[in-house]
């Protein structure tokens, strides 16, 4: 169950990136699209890198969960650490992407008629669903600190 939170975060981050790219292409300042400005380009590039890092970690965790499930060991042991880490990373990284998306959208990032404001609102639950980041960190730390004889 925990392993399914990271893909949700990934999807939200992908949507935020797509909305930001589209917005940067059409929003104009000083008679040119804001996509021409280096700061906006830097934000978009960072968002892309974050989304791709989420994708790699999420897919890795899903592969591991699938392999564990195929063995009949549903959610015990090492998979707890892997899925908790993927959720923690995905939720934290999703927030980075969303913060930059709102920055690119400026005041429109909070206007209800823009999709990014709905994405931002919907994403909040993923930071606490299946355990807040602090709980994920405890799961990871416990597994790292277990006595392995």
């Amino acid at each position: 169950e925990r392993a399914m939170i990271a893909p949700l975060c990934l999807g939200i981050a992908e949507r935020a990136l797509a909305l930001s790219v589209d917005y940067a292409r059409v929003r104009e300042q000083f008679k040119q699209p804001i996509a021409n400005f280096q700061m906006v380009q830097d934000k978009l590039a960072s968002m892309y890198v974050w989304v791709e890092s989420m994708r790699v970690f999420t897919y890795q965790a899903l592969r591991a969960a699938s392999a564990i499930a195929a063995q009949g060991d549903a959610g015990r042991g090492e998979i707890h650490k892997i899925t908790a880490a993927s959720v923690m990373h995905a939720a934290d990284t999703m927030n980075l992407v969303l913060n930059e998306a709102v920055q690119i959208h400026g005041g429109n990032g909070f206007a209800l008629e823009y999709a990014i404001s709905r994405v931002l609102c919907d994403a909040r639950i993923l930071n606490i669903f299946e355990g807040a980041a602090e709980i994920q960190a405890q799961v990871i730390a416990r597994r790292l600190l277990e006595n392995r004889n």
Side-chain angles (χ1 to χ4, degrees), residues 13 25 28 32 48 53 57-58 64 97 106 139 141-142 145 149:
R25 287 179 177 147
E28 289 192 0
Q32 62 179 315
Y48 172 79
S53 76
F57 201 172
T58 296
V97 172
V139 170
R142 266 190 248 130
L145 296 170
N149 293 330

Side-chain angles (χ1 to χ4, degrees), residues 55-131:
R55 185 182 325 284
V56 170
F57 201 172
T58 296
Y59 288 7
Q60 177 184 342
L62 291 174
R63 271 192 303 277
S66 180
I68 294 292
Q71 297 171 2
D73 189 16
R76 291 177 179 72
E78 187 72 7
I79 196 63
H80 275 266
K81 178 179 72 173
I82 294 168
T83 56
S86 74
V87 169
M88 187 174 171
H89 176 69
D92 289 347
T93 306
M94 175 190 68
N95 286 326
L96 292 172
V97 172
L98 287 169
N99 286 339
E100 293 292 24
V102 170
Q103 286 298 112
I104 289 170
H105 283 77
N108 290 332
F110 294 100
L112 295 178
E113 58 268 12
Y114 285 86
I116 194 65
S117 69
R118 291 187 299 277
V119 171
L120 182 65
C121 183
D122 292 344
R124 185 62 183 120
I125 189 63
L126 295 175
N127 287 77
I128 51 179
F129 196 63
E130 281 300 317

Side-chain angles (χ1 to χ4, degrees), residues 23-78:
Y23 186 80
R25 287 179 177 147
V26 298
R27 177 70 169 118
E28 289 192 0
Q29 285 291 323
F30 310 110
K31 299 181 183 180
Q32 62 179 315
I34 64 171
N36 291 348
F37 301 138
Q38 286 181 337
M39 188 167 28
V40 172
Q41 293 171 1
D42 180 67
K43 289 180 183 306
L44 292 171
S46 293
M47 292 165 70
Y48 172 79
V49 170
W50 294 331
V51 166
E52 291 306 313
S53 76
M54 290 172 69
R55 185 182 325 284
V56 170
F57 201 172
T58 296
Y59 288 7
Q60 177 184 342
L62 291 174
R63 271 192 303 277
S66 180
I68 294 292
Q71 297 171 2
D73 189 16
R76 291 177 179 72
E78 187 72 7

